[in-house]
Amino acid sequence: MRSVPTLIALVLATALALPAAADEGLLGERVPAATQDIQPVSDPALDAMRGRFITGAGQVLYFGVEMLSTWHSSDGRVLSGSALLGFDFSTGTPQISFVPTVSIVQGSGGGVLVDTSHRTINASGLDNVSGIAQGIQIAGDFNSAGNSTELHLTSTMPAGAGNGVGANATLSTGGANASAALQADSVAVTLGIDGQGSLRQMIRGDASGNGAVLQTVSLLGDGHDVSNQLRITLVQPTQGSSLLLQQSVAQALGQLKGIGGH
């Protein structure tokens, strides 16, 4: 997977822009500038390096991205899609894991989907966004929708880290569809119901280091309850200062700015 380093850098850059919540609670710390407190490196040391960096903070043992999208439709169906993408550095050799899950369940007491042929939504502009974007577009009534993104800092490795890369998951039935997919330059979860709208979460990058984190909701119908949740987890060796960890990552990204002509 040739673009995995791009995805790693993009996820880390995204993490630095989010409010951090450690095991003890919400941290109100601001991330310092990427180049702050970087120390000069001697010529002999540079001669033995290639694409590396030196910082004074602890290393990152693991980081992962967990996406969860859910849809309770007005006709009683429940759609769910999730993707867990992890990078385990604890053994010295990066181990990549990807676990996709999708489901479509017919609930009880379902109503009738409304005719939306006279309603329109255009969310195509979000596909051109770089950075972090959250969008909600609703053309119907009595809907509930939300996007949420969190960063968690911890010293505990998650269960099942490094369990390998699972096959992409897709499911389609009765006009409803759900997918969780890992591509060479992106990871995404998508839910949709024909004529009623769609949910999407995506992290994408390219060889130039550009990319985006997207959470979008587009609803045409009535009476739907939908949500997108994105959680990023960073694991450090000890319960040291979360600010030092974030500064370490910021310095690393600062060193990468010159790669690819930036």
Side-chain angles (χ1 to χ4, degrees):
M1 191 170 297
R2 55 183 172 79
S3 296
V4 164
T6 301
L7 282 176
I8 293 175
L10 178 59
V11 171
L12 287 175
T14 303
L16 294 174
L18 303 176
D23 291 343
E24 292 80 14
L26 187 67
L27 299 173
E29 303 167 17
R30 299 292 297 177
V31 179
T35 56
Q36 182 175 330
D37 297 329
I38 294 178
Q39 300 299 318
V41 181
S42 66
D43 289 339
L46 286 172
D47 185 62
M49 294 182 181
R50 186 176 183 86
R52 301 180 183 179
F53 57 90
I54 295 177
T55 66
Q59 68 184 109
V60 176
L61 295 182
Y62 170 91
F63 74 85
V65 179
E66 184 176 5
M67 298 176 176
L68 174 62
S69 296
T70 57
W71 187 326
H72 296 261
S73 71
S74 57
D75 64 350
R77 283 178 289 183
V78 179
L79 286 65
S80 178
S82 67
L84 176 59
L85 176 63
F87 301 90
D88 183 356
F89 301 100
S90 62
T91 63
T93 301
Q95 302 292 320
I96 304 172
S97 60
F98 176 65
V99 181
T101 305
V102 296
S103 68
I104 300 175
V105 178
Q106 182 66 53
S108 59
V112 178
L113 298 178
V114 300
D115 178 12
T116 63
S117 58
H118 59 292
R119 303 175 183 177
T120 61
I121 286 178
N122 186 351
S124 59
L126 293 175
D127 290 335
N128 301 319
V129 171
S130 296
I132 304 173
Q134 293 176 313
I136 296 178
Q137 295 176 296
I138 298 178
D141 298 321
F142 309 110
N143 294 292
S144 176
N147 293 314
S148 67
T149 306
E150 297 178 341
L151 167 64
H152 287 255
L153 305 178
T154 180
S155 61
T156 303
M157 292 290 291
N163 278 346
V165 177
N168 293 339
T170 60
L171 186 60
S172 181
T173 179
N177 56 81
S179 69
L182 176 64
Q183 306 296 336
D185 58 357
S186 67
V187 57
V189 172
T190 305
L191 303 179
I193 299 177
D194 291 349
Q196 302 297 306
S198 64
L199 304 185
R200 181 175 59 160
Q201 297 192 78
M202 174 184 289
I203 296 179
R204 67 167 186 254
D206 60 32
S208 300
N210 299 314
V213 176
L214 303 176
Q215 290 183 307
T216 62
V217 175
S218 299
L219 289 179
L220 293 164
D222 299 342
H224 299 288
D225 185 355
V226 302
S227 69
N228 285 322
Q229 300 175 61
L230 172 65
R231 173 174 172 148
I232 295 175
T233 300
L234 286 164
V235 179
Q236 58 178 331
T238 64
Q239 286 284 15
S241 168
S242 64
L243 183 60
L244 285 178
L245 174 61
Q246 294 182 65
Q247 182 176 1
S248 174
V249 176
Q251 291 174 352
L253 293 174
Q255 294 293 313
L256 295 174
K257 285 184 177 180
I259 297 178
H262 291 276

Coordinates of all heavy atoms in Angstrom, one line a residue, residues 188-259:
A188 N -12.8 4.9 4.1 CA -14.1 5.6 4.0 C -15.2 4.6 4.5 O -15.1 3.4 4.3 CB -14.4 6.1 2.6
V189 N -16.2 5.2 5.1 CA -17.4 4.5 5.5 C -18.6 5.3 4.9 O -18.7 6.5 5.0 CB -17.6 4.5 7.0 CG1 -19.0 3.9 7.4 CG2 -16.5 3.6 7.6
T190 N -19.5 4.6 4.2 CA -20.6 5.3 3.5 C -21.9 4.5 3.7 O -21.9 3.3 3.6 CB -20.4 5.3 2.0 OG1 -19.1 6.0 1.7 CG2 -21.5 6.1 1.3
L191 N -23.0 5.2 4.0 CA -24.3 4.7 4.1 C -25.3 5.4 3.2 O -25.1 6.6 3.0 CB -24.9 4.8 5.6 CG -24.0 4.1 6.7 CD1 -24.7 4.4 8.0 CD2 -23.8 2.6 6.5
G192 N -26.3 4.8 2.7 CA -27.2 5.4 1.8 C -28.5 4.7 1.7 O -28.6 3.5 1.8
I193 N -29.6 5.4 1.4 CA -30.9 4.9 1.1 C -31.4 5.6 -0.2 O -31.4 6.8 -0.2 CB -31.9 5.0 2.2 CG1 -31.4 4.3 3.5 CG2 -33.3 4.5 1.8 CD1 -32.4 4.4 4.6
D194 N -31.7 4.8 -1.2 CA -32.2 5.4 -2.5 C -33.3 6.5 -2.2 O -34.3 6.2 -1.6 CB -32.7 4.4 -3.4 CG -31.6 3.4 -3.9 OD1 -30.4 3.8 -3.7 OD2 -31.9 2.4 -4.5
G195 N -33.1 7.7 -2.8 CA -34.0 8.7 -2.7 C -34.1 9.4 -1.3 O -34.9 10.4 -1.2
Q196 N -33.4 9.0 -0.3 CA -33.4 9.5 1.0 C -32.2 10.3 1.5 O -32.2 11.1 2.4 CB -33.8 8.4 2.0 CG -35.1 7.7 1.8 CD -36.3 8.6 1.8 OE1 -36.5 9.3 2.8 NE2 -37.1 8.6 0.8
G197 N -31.0 10.0 0.8 CA -29.8 10.7 1.2 C -28.6 9.7 1.4 O -28.7 8.5 1.1
S198 N -27.6 10.3 2.1 CA -26.4 9.5 2.3 C -25.6 10.1 3.5 O -25.7 11.3 3.8 CB -25.5 9.5 1.0 OG -25.0 10.8 0.7
L199 N -24.8 9.2 4.1 CA -23.8 9.6 5.1 C -22.4 9.2 4.6 O -22.3 8.1 3.9 CB -24.0 8.9 6.4 CG -25.4 9.0 7.1 CD1 -25.3 8.3 8.5 CD2 -25.8 10.4 7.3
R200 N -21.4 9.9 4.9 CA -20.1 9.6 4.5 C -19.0 10.1 5.5 O -19.1 11.2 6.0 CB -19.7 10.1 3.1 CG -18.4 9.7 2.6 CD -18.1 10.2 1.2 NE -18.3 11.6 1.1 CZ -17.8 12.4 0.0 NH1 -17.1 11.7 -0.9 NH2 -17.9 13.7 0.0
Q201 N -18.0 9.2 5.8 CA -16.8 9.6 6.5 C -15.6 9.2 5.7 O -15.6 8.0 5.2 CB -16.8 9.0 7.9 CG -17.9 9.4 8.8 CD -17.6 9.0 10.2 OE1 -16.8 9.7 10.9 NE2 -18.2 8.0 10.7
M202 N -14.6 10.0 5.5 CA -13.5 9.7 4.7 C -12.2 10.4 5.2 O -12.3 11.6 5.5 CB -13.7 10.0 3.2 CG -12.5 9.8 2.3 SD -12.9 10.3 0.6 CE -14.0 9.0 0.1
I203 N -11.1 9.7 5.1 CA -9.8 10.3 5.3 C -9.0 10.0 4.0 O -8.9 8.8 3.6 CB -9.0 9.8 6.5 CG1 -9.7 10.2 7.8 CG2 -7.6 10.4 6.5 CD1 -9.0 9.7 9.0
R204 N -8.6 11.0 3.3 CA -7.9 10.7 2.0 C -6.6 11.5 1.9 O -6.5 12.6 2.5 CB -8.8 11.0 0.8 CG -9.1 12.5 0.6 CD -9.7 12.8 -0.7 NE -9.9 14.3 -0.9 CZ -11.0 14.9 -0.8 NH1 -12.1 14.2 -0.6 NH2 -11.1 16.2 -1.0
G205 N -5.6 11.0 1.2 CA -4.4 11.7 1.0 C -3.8 11.5 -0.4 O -4.4 10.6 -1.1
D206 N -2.8 12.2 -0.8 CA -2.1 11.9 -2.0 C -0.6 12.0 -1.9 O -0.1 12.3 -0.8 CB -2.6 12.9 -3.1 CG -2.4 14.3 -2.8 OD1 -1.3 14.6 -2.2 OD2 -3.2 15.2 -3.2
A207 N 0.1 11.7 -3.0 CA 1.5 11.6 -2.9 C 2.2 12.9 -2.6 O 3.3 13.0 -2.2 CB 2.0 11.1 -4.3
S208 N 1.5 14.0 -2.8 CA 2.0 15.4 -2.5 C 1.8 15.8 -1.0 O 2.2 16.9 -0.6 CB 1.4 16.4 -3.4 OG 1.6 16.1 -4.8
G209 N 1.1 14.9 -0.3 CA 0.9 15.2 1.1 C -0.4 16.0 1.4 O -0.7 16.4 2.5
N210 N -1.1 16.3 0.3 CA -2.4 17.0 0.4 C -3.5 15.9 0.8 O -3.4 14.8 0.5 CB -2.8 17.7 -0.8 CG -1.8 18.7 -1.2 OD1 -1.4 19.5 -0.4 ND2 -1.4 18.7 -2.5
G211 N -4.6 16.4 1.5 CA -5.6 15.5 1.8 C -6.7 16.1 2.6 O -6.7 17.3 2.7
A212 N -7.7 15.3 3.0 CA -8.8 15.9 3.7 C -9.4 14.8 4.7 O -9.3 13.6 4.4 CB -9.9 16.3 2.7
V213 N -10.1 15.3 5.7 CA -10.9 14.5 6.6 C -12.3 15.0 6.4 O -12.6 16.2 6.7 CB -10.5 14.6 8.0 CG1 -11.4 13.8 8.9 CG2 -9.0 14.1 8.2
L214 N -13.2 14.2 5.9 CA -14.6 14.6 5.6 C -15.6 13.8 6.5 O -15.5 12.6 6.6 CB -14.9 14.4 4.1 CG -14.0 15.1 3.1 CD1 -14.4 14.6 1.7 CD2 -14.0 16.6 3.3
Q215 N -16.6 14.5 6.9 CA -17.8 13.9 7.6 C -19.0 14.7 7.0 O -19.2 15.9 7.2 CB -17.8 14.1 9.1 CG -16.8 13.3 9.8 CD -16.9 13.4 11.3 OE1 -16.9 14.5 11.8 NE2 -17.0 12.3 12.0
T216 N -19.8 14.0 6.2 CA -20.9 14.6 5.5 C -22.2 13.9 5.7 O -22.3 12.7 5.8 CB -20.7 14.7 4.0 OG1 -20.6 13.4 3.4 CG2 -19.4 15.5 3.7
V217 N -23.3 14.7 5.8 CA -24.7 14.2 6.0 C -25.5 14.9 4.9 O -25.5 16.1 4.8 CB -25.3 14.5 7.4 CG1 -26.7 14.0 7.4 CG2 -24.5 13.8 8.4
S218 N -26.2 14.1 4.1 CA -27.1 14.7 3.1 C -28.5 14.0 3.2 O -28.5 12.8 2.9 CB -26.6 14.6 1.7 OG -25.4 15.3 1.5
L219 N -29.5 14.6 3.6 CA -30.8 14.0 3.9 C -31.9 14.7 3.0 O -32.1 15.9 3.1 CB -31.2 14.1 5.3 CG -30.4 13.2 6.3 CD1 -30.9 13.4 7.7 CD2 -30.5 11.7 5.9
L220 N -32.6 13.9 2.3 CA -33.8 14.4 1.5 C -35.1 14.0 2.1 O -36.1 14.7 2.0 CB -33.7 13.8 0.1 CG -32.6 14.2 -0.8 CD1 -32.4 13.3 -2.0 CD2 -32.8 15.7 -1.3
G221 N -35.1 12.9 2.9 CA -36.4 12.4 3.4 C -36.7 13.0 4.8 O -36.1 13.9 5.3
D222 N -37.8 12.5 5.4 CA -38.3 12.9 6.7 C -38.1 11.8 7.7 O -38.2 10.6 7.4 CB -39.8 13.2 6.6 CG -40.1 14.3 5.6 OD1 -39.2 15.1 5.2 OD2 -41.3 14.4 5.1
G223 N -37.9 12.3 9.0 CA -38.0 11.4 10.1 C -36.8 10.4 10.3 O -36.9 9.4 10.8
H224 N -35.6 10.8 9.8 CA -34.4 10.0 9.9 C -33.5 10.5 11.1 O -33.5 11.7 11.4 CB -33.6 10.0 8.6 CG -34.3 9.5 7.4 ND1 -34.6 8.2 7.2 CD2 -34.8 10.1 6.3 CE1 -35.3 8.0 6.1 NE2 -35.4 9.2 5.5
D225 N -32.8 9.5 11.7 CA -31.9 9.8 12.8 C -30.5 9.3 12.4 O -30.4 8.1 12.3 CB -32.4 9.2 14.1 CG -31.5 9.6 15.3 OD1 -30.5 10.3 15.1 OD2 -31.9 9.2 16.4
V226 N -29.5 10.2 12.1 CA -28.3 9.7 11.6 C -27.1 10.4 12.3 O -27.3 11.4 12.9 CB -28.1 10.1 10.1 CG1 -29.3 9.5 9.3 CG2 -28.1 11.6 9.9
S227 N -26.0 9.7 12.3 CA -24.8 10.3 12.9 C -23.5 9.7 12.4 O -23.4 8.6 11.9 CB -24.8 10.0 14.5 OG -24.6 8.6 14.7
N228 N -22.5 10.5 12.4 CA -21.1 10.2 12.0 C -20.2 10.4 13.2 O -20.2 11.5 13.8 CB -20.5 11.0 10.8 CG -21.1 10.6 9.5 OD1 -21.3 9.4 9.2 ND2 -21.3 11.6 8.6
Q229 N -19.4 9.4 13.6 CA -18.5 9.6 14.7 C -17.1 9.1 14.3 O -16.9 8.0 13.7 CB -18.9 8.7 15.9 CG -20.3 9.0 16.4 CD -20.7 8.1 17.5 OE1 -20.1 8.0 18.6 NE2 -21.8 7.4 17.3
L230 N -16.1 10.0 14.5 CA -14.7 9.7 14.2 C -13.9 9.8 15.5 O -13.9 10.9 16.2 CB -14.2 10.7 13.1 CG -12.7 10.6 12.8 CD1 -12.3 9.3 12.2 CD2 -12.4 11.8 11.9
R231 N -13.1 8.8 15.8 CA -12.3 8.8 17.0 C -10.8 8.5 16.6 O -10.6 7.4 16.0 CB -12.8 7.8 18.0 CG -11.9 7.7 19.2 CD -12.5 6.8 20.3 NE -11.6 6.5 21.3 CZ -12.0 6.3 22.6 NH1 -13.3 6.4 22.9 NH2 -11.1 5.9 23.5
I232 N -9.9 9.3 17.0 CA -8.5 9.1 16.7 C -7.8 8.8 18.1 O -8.0 9.5 19.0 CB -7.8 10.3 16.0 CG1 -8.4 10.5 14.7 CG2 -6.3 10.1 15.9 CD1 -7.9 11.8 14.0
T233 N -7.0 7.7 18.1 CA -6.3 7.3 19.3 C -4.8 7.3 19.1 O -4.3 6.8 18.2 CB -6.8 5.9 19.7 OG1 -8.2 5.8 20.0 CG2 -6.0 5.4 21.0
L234 N -4.1 8.0 20.0 CA -2.7 8.0 20.0 C -2.2 7.4 21.3 O -2.6 7.8 22.4 CB -2.2 9.5 20.0 CG -2.3 10.2 18.6 CD1 -2.1 11.7 18.8 CD2 -1.2 9.7 17.6
V235 N -1.3 6.4 21.2 CA -0.7 5.7 22.4 C 0.8 6.1 22.5 O 1.5 6.0 21.6 CB -0.9 4.2 22.2 CG1 -0.2 3.5 23.4 CG2 -2.3 3.8 22.1
Q236 N 1.1 6.6 23.7 CA 2.5 6.9 24.1 C 3.0 5.9 25.1 O 2.2 5.2 25.8 CB 2.6 8.3 24.6 CG 1.8 8.6 25.8 CD 2.0 10.0 26.2 OE1 3.0 10.6 26.1 NE2 0.9 10.6 26.8
P237 N 4.3 5.7 25.3 CA 4.8 4.7 26.2 C 4.3 4.8 27.7 O 4.1 3.9 28.4 CB 6.3 4.8 26.1 CG 6.5 5.4 24.8 CD 5.4 6.4 24.6
T238 N 4.3 6.1 28.2 CA 3.9 6.3 29.6 C 2.9 7.4 29.6 O 2.6 8.1 28.6 CB 5.1 6.7 30.5 OG1 5.6 8.0 30.0 CG2 6.2 5.7 30.4
Q239 N 2.3 7.7 30.8 CA 1.4 8.7 31.0 C 2.1 10.1 31.2 O 1.8 10.8 32.1 CB 0.5 8.5 32.2 CG -0.5 7.4 32.0 CD -1.7 7.9 31.1 OE1 -1.7 8.9 30.5 NE2 -2.8 7.1 31.1
G240 N 3.0 10.4 30.3 CA 3.7 11.6 30.3 C 2.8 12.8 29.9 O 1.6 12.6 29.6
S241 N 3.4 13.9 29.7 CA 2.6 15.1 29.3 C 2.0 14.9 27.9 O 2.7 14.7 27.0 CB 3.5 16.4 29.4 OG 2.9 17.4 28.7
S242 N 0.7 15.1 27.8 CA 0.1 15.0 26.5 C 0.6 16.2 25.6 O 0.7 16.0 24.4 CB -1.4 15.1 26.6 OG -1.8 16.3 27.2
L243 N 1.0 17.3 26.2 CA 1.5 18.4 25.5 C 2.8 18.1 24.8 O 3.1 18.4 23.7 CB 1.6 19.7 26.3 CG 2.1 20.9 25.6 CD1 1.1 21.3 24.6 CD2 2.2 22.1 26.6
L244 N 3.7 17.3 25.5 CA 4.9 16.9 25.0 C 4.7 16.0 23.8 O 5.4 16.1 22.8 CB 5.8 16.2 26.0 CG 6.4 17.1 27.1 CD1 7.2 16.3 28.1 CD2 7.4 18.1 26.4
L245 N 3.7 15.1 23.9 CA 3.5 14.2 22.8 C 3.0 15.0 21.6 O 3.5 14.7 20.5 CB 2.4 13.2 23.2 CG 1.9 12.2 22.1 CD1 3.0 11.4 21.5 CD2 0.8 11.3 22.6
Q246 N 2.1 15.9 21.8 CA 1.6 16.7 20.6 C 2.7 17.5 20.0 O 2.8 17.7 18.8 CB 0.4 17.6 21.1 CG -0.8 16.8 21.5 CD -2.0 17.6 21.9 OE1 -2.5 18.4 21.1 NE2 -2.3 17.6 23.2
Q247 N 3.6 18.1 20.9 CA 4.7 18.8 20.4 C 5.6 18.0 19.6 O 6.1 18.4 18.5 CB 5.5 19.5 21.6 CG 6.6 20.4 21.1 CD 7.3 21.1 22.3 OE1 6.9 20.9 23.4 NE2 8.2 21.9 22.0
S248 N 5.9 16.7 20.0 CA 6.7 15.8 19.3 C 6.2 15.6 17.9 O 6.9 15.6 16.9 CB 6.8 14.5 20.0 OG 7.6 13.5 19.3
V249 N 4.8 15.3 17.8 CA 4.2 15.1 16.5 C 4.3 16.3 15.6 O 4.5 16.3 14.4 CB 2.8 14.6 16.7 CG1 2.1 14.4 15.3 CG2 2.7 13.3 17.4
A250 N 4.0 17.5 16.2 CA 4.1 18.7 15.5 C 5.5 19.0 14.9 O 5.6 19.4 13.8 CB 3.7 19.9 16.4
Q251 N 6.5 18.7 15.7 CA 7.9 18.9 15.2 C 8.1 17.9 14.0 O 8.8 18.3 13.0 CB 8.9 18.7 16.3 CG 8.8 19.8 17.4 CD 9.7 19.4 18.6 OE1 10.2 18.3 18.7 NE2 9.9 20.4 19.5
A252 N 7.7 16.7 14.2 CA 7.9 15.7 13.1 C 7.2 16.2 11.8 O 7.8 16.1 10.7 CB 7.3 14.4 13.5
L253 N 6.0 16.7 11.9 CA 5.3 17.2 10.7 C 6.0 18.4 10.1 O 6.1 18.6 8.9 CB 3.9 17.5 11.0 CG 3.0 16.2 11.3 CD1 1.6 16.7 11.8 CD2 2.9 15.3 10.2
G254 N 6.6 19.2 11.0 CA 7.3 20.4 10.5 C 8.5 20.0 9.7 O 8.8 20.7 8.7
Q255 N 9.2 18.9 10.1 CA 10.3 18.5 9.3 C 9.9 17.9 8.0 O 10.7 17.9 7.0 CB 11.1 17.4 10.1 CG 11.7 17.9 11.4 CD 12.8 18.9 11.1 OE1 13.7 18.6 10.3 NE2 12.8 20.0 11.8
L256 N 8.7 17.5 7.8 CA 8.2 16.9 6.6 C 7.8 17.9 5.5 O 7.5 17.5 4.4 CB 7.1 15.9 6.8 CG 7.5 14.6 7.7 CD1 6.2 13.8 8.0 CD2 8.5 13.8 6.9
K257 N 7.7 19.1 5.9 CA 7.1 20.1 5.0 C 7.9 20.3 3.7 O 7.3 20.6 2.7 CB 7.0 21.5 5.7 CG 5.9 21.6 6.7 CD 5.8 23.0 7.3 CE 4.6 23.1 8.3 NZ 4.5 24.4 8.9
G258 N 9.2 20.1 3.7 CA 10.0 20.2 2.5 C 9.9 19.1 1.6 O 10.4 19.2 0.4
I259 N 9.3 18.0 1.9 CA 9.2 16.8 1.1 C 8.2 17.1 0.0 O 7.1 17.6 0.3 CB 8.9 15.6 1.9 CG1 10.0 15.3 2.9 CG2 8.6 14.4 0.9 CD1 9.7 14.1 3.7

